[in-house]
Amino acid sequence: MAGHVDKASNTKPLDVRTAPGLDPVLRGLLVDAQTKGLPKLPAVDPTTARSFFEVVCAQLNAMQSSPGASCDLEINGAGGSLNARLYGHTAIGDETGAIVLFHGGGWVLGNLDTHDVLCRQLAEATGWPVLSIDYRLAPEHPFPAALDDARAALAWLRAEADGLNIDPRRIVVAGDSAGGNIAAALTLADRRNDSPDLFGQVLIYPVVGDDLDTESMLRFADGFGLSRADMAWFRAHYQGPAARLRDPLHCPLFADSLAGLPPAVIVTAKFDPLHDEGAAYADRLACDGTAVTYQTY
């Protein structure tokens, strides 16, 4: 179980070159990125950042296996048609559950292709179909557009469950980083309706708060891939002019109660600015009676 997270005080940033315990291969990659002087997100516009992110993800995807079949779909989203991709399911055989995955990228970056290999590997590992959602991105579509698309995608899957041979009572929502935020917020929004309960939630280093001064946010402020300045940039784009940061559907840690939510698997990374808020969310869920499996790597 995760430990309670205290407010940071006088925490000094770590240098990636000397950070104790960091995987040596990862250290080399991060130092190499610094040496190349790659542009930082706050210095570029979202369009440029998306292009760079897509190139990096394509390089990483090319290094991994991507077994299994997939088909592209067009479903009804909150703002019109929504692109989606279904992995590893042919609607033949025994009824299964399903995983709905929301990609990371700070609500600003990412698409179906950036997380294609992850979805294929997840479908192969679980034996369940994975539905990946190409939700609308900020700043063109600020909060709550991405969450509205997520709700529409979940409603679509429930409505089409019989035709896809999916048990609507065994649907898991999942996501990494900002995708984890969307998945977590979706469980809160879904708790308010009369649909079948979600079967589970898988949150991979999720964004669940708005605090830029946690110990991990300060300790790993720069040089570890995601920076503190990046998170400020992402949040400014996603919150939009409404600045509804304390809405629990924007920051789930602000929910008055996390009781009655589906069982959770929460994964955090040790050398990650987002570590502490993910750990704090695991604590909150457990304290409010939700079953939690927590792991940090």
Side-chain angles (χ1 to χ4, degrees):
M1 195 56 246
H4 289 280
V5 177
D6 296 322
K7 189 75 172 180
S9 60
N10 301 319
T11 300
K12 295 182 179 180
L14 287 181
D15 188 329
V16 68
R17 293 171 176 81
T18 58
L22 181 62
D23 178 83
V25 174
L26 180 56
R27 190 194 308 274
L29 292 172
L30 293 171
V31 171
D32 183 59
Q34 287 185 342
T35 303
K36 289 180 178 178
L38 300 175
K40 300 194 181 285
L41 284 181
V44 301
D45 61 89
T47 300
T48 301
R50 287 169 190 154
S51 297
F52 178 71
F53 186 68
E54 289 163 15
V55 169
V56 171
C57 288
Q59 293 173 343
L60 293 174
N61 285 341
M63 298 167 60
Q64 305 176 71
S65 62
S66 54
S70 67
C71 63
D72 287 349
L73 307 169
E74 195 171 276
I75 65 178
N76 293 326
S81 62
L82 191 64
N83 292 325
R85 188 171 294 164
L86 184 64
Y87 297 84
H89 193 50
T90 60
I92 297 174
D94 295 334
E95 190 176 65
T96 73
I99 301 167
V100 186
L101 185 128
F102 306 100
H103 66 77
W107 309 283
V108 177
L109 317 176
N111 54 40
L112 297 179
D113 292 335
T114 59
H115 286 58
D116 182 74
V117 169
L118 170 63
C119 292
R120 293 179 188 277
Q121 292 175 338
L122 189 57
E124 181 186 39
T126 63
W128 280 17
V130 174
L131 181 67
S132 181
I133 306 301
D134 199 15
Y135 57 85
R136 290 171 293 168
L137 299 176
E140 297 89 343
H141 305 285
F143 174 82
L147 178 59
D148 289 343
D149 284 345
R151 298 174 76 167
L154 179 59
W156 177 88
L157 183 60
R158 283 170 167 158
E160 299 296 325
D162 285 346
L164 294 170
N165 209 27
I166 288 170
D167 183 347
R169 299 164 300 177
R170 300 172 70 199
I171 294 176
V172 172
V173 294
D176 65 301
S177 196
N181 169 276
I182 295 168
L186 184 56
T187 68
L188 290 168
D190 197 62
R191 182 176 59 175
R192 303 173 182 175
N193 64 34
D194 296 324
S195 300
D197 290 342
L198 287 165
F199 192 68
Q201 54 181 317
V202 179
L203 313 179
I204 306 170
Y205 38 83
V207 184
V208 286
D210 72 338
D211 191 350
L212 292 175
D213 293 320
T214 63
E215 183 174 353
S216 64
M217 193 67 70
L218 297 174
R219 190 175 299 278
F220 310 116
D222 193 31
F224 292 87
L226 176 71
S227 73
R228 182 171 179 262
D230 292 343
M231 279 310 307
W233 186 81
F234 284 134
R235 284 171 171 147
H237 283 312
Y238 186 50
Q239 74 183 65
R244 295 167 60 187
L245 280 175
R246 297 198 67 85
D247 187 329
L249 296 183
H250 187 297
C251 297
L253 269 172
F254 293 134
D256 291 334
S257 172
L258 299 179
L261 296 177
V265 173
I266 298 182
V267 176
T268 59
K270 180 179 178 182
F271 295 91
D272 180 11
L274 299 174
H275 173 275
D276 287 2
E277 59 193 84
Y281 197 63
D283 270 354
R284 280 284 315 280
L285 285 168
C287 288
D288 286 348
T290 296
V292 180
T293 299
Y294 174 80
Q295 179 69 54
T296 188
Y297 290 96

